[in-house]
Amino acid sequence: MDDRLAVALVEGSVRLEPFAEHHVEPLRAACARDTEIWQIYPYSMLGEHFDAVMARRPALDWVTLAVLQDGEVVGTTSYINPDPVNGVVEIGGTYIQPSVRGTGFNDVMKRLMIDHAFTCDYRRIEFRVDARNGRSQAAVLKLGATRERLLRRNRVTWTGYKRDTCVFGLLREEWKQPDPASES
């Protein structure tokens, strides 16, 4: 794990902070606010599935962050398999509750993560998205990432579905920070 990635990132009402025990129950409640979304996730974080997912996380090479809006846990996201030697990290494992979707919240959250990864000398960021998840694909493209390939039936989800995964890449030299003056 790359501890440089495990820091609090804040902009306005958006706060990402290293995931800790006190985030578990608020995250459980946030995940329960959308029972439909889990059908297109590789794992479920509803009901009895939640504790199993939480139990597996420490064994993963992930830097997991709690996602907060105005101090309330509204989701989670991660830097996945950080490889500082090759300068590559994936951003994923992201869930945000419906109340913050479509508000620009995800854009701010992802921008904070991308900026921080590039500041930590990563040169490439990857995103892996279920081919059925059009909303997430559109959000990744909006960030400036390039769809590079489709991995056919490369992952079996918790429902038994053999999913296709779209792989997107964003290189440091391609990253363009939005001009704050143009957003007003």
Side-chain angles (χ1 to χ4, degrees):
M1 180 168 73
D2 186 345
D3 291 332
R4 298 173 305 160
L5 296 171
V7 299
L9 305 171
V10 181
E11 183 178 314
S13 67
V14 178
R15 179 178 175 86
L16 308 175
E17 60 190 36
F19 197 86
E21 187 63 32
H22 68 273
H23 296 119
V24 173
E25 291 309 316
L27 178 61
R28 183 191 308 270
C31 290
R33 293 188 181 109
D34 188 349
T35 58
E36 300 299 315
I37 195 75
W38 301 107
Q39 294 301 310
I40 59 171
Y41 271 58
Y43 50 84
S44 173
M45 291 182 67
L46 289 177
E48 72 278 3
H49 302 288
F50 183 89
D51 291 326
V53 170
M54 288 290 109
R56 282 194 312 265
R57 285 202 173 192
L60 301 173
D61 189 13
W62 292 23
V63 176
T64 300
L65 304 171
V67 177
L68 294 86
Q69 179 186 43
D70 295 323
E72 176 191 351
V73 174
V74 295
T76 185
T77 191
S78 297
Y79 290 108
I80 300 173
N81 300 324
D83 180 354
V85 172
N86 289 301
V88 179
V89 65
E90 178 184 345
I91 292 176
T94 301
Y95 166 77
I96 54 174
Q97 70 185 24
S99 66
V100 295
R101 291 186 206 145
T103 66
F105 186 93
N106 185 55
D107 291 340
V108 172
M109 180 179 75
K110 290 297 191 319
R111 188 168 30 83
L112 286 168
M113 293 180 76
I114 292 166
D115 284 344
H116 185 62
F118 288 147
T119 298
C120 290
D121 297 323
Y122 285 86
R123 61 174 181 73
R124 175 184 167 81
I125 296 172
E126 295 179 347
F127 302 88
R128 294 171 185 259
V129 180
D130 188 315
R132 299 172 294 171
N133 192 340
R135 179 185 309 150
S136 289
Q137 288 184 62
V140 170
L141 289 169
K142 184 177 172 186
L143 290 168
T146 299
R147 181 176 167 163
E148 297 177 340
R149 67 183 175 266
L150 178 71
L151 303 175
R152 299 178 303 145
R153 295 187 181 177
N154 78 308
R155 189 158 193 187
V156 179
T157 72
W158 70 279
T159 65
Y161 180 79
K162 294 167 189 74
R163 89 171 202 184
D164 295 338
T165 301
C166 301
V167 179
F168 298 83
L170 178 64
L171 304 178
R172 182 182 316 161
E173 58 270 19
E174 296 170 337
W175 179 234
K176 295 178 181 44
Q177 275 289 40
D179 179 4
S182 69
E183 293 183 1
S184 347

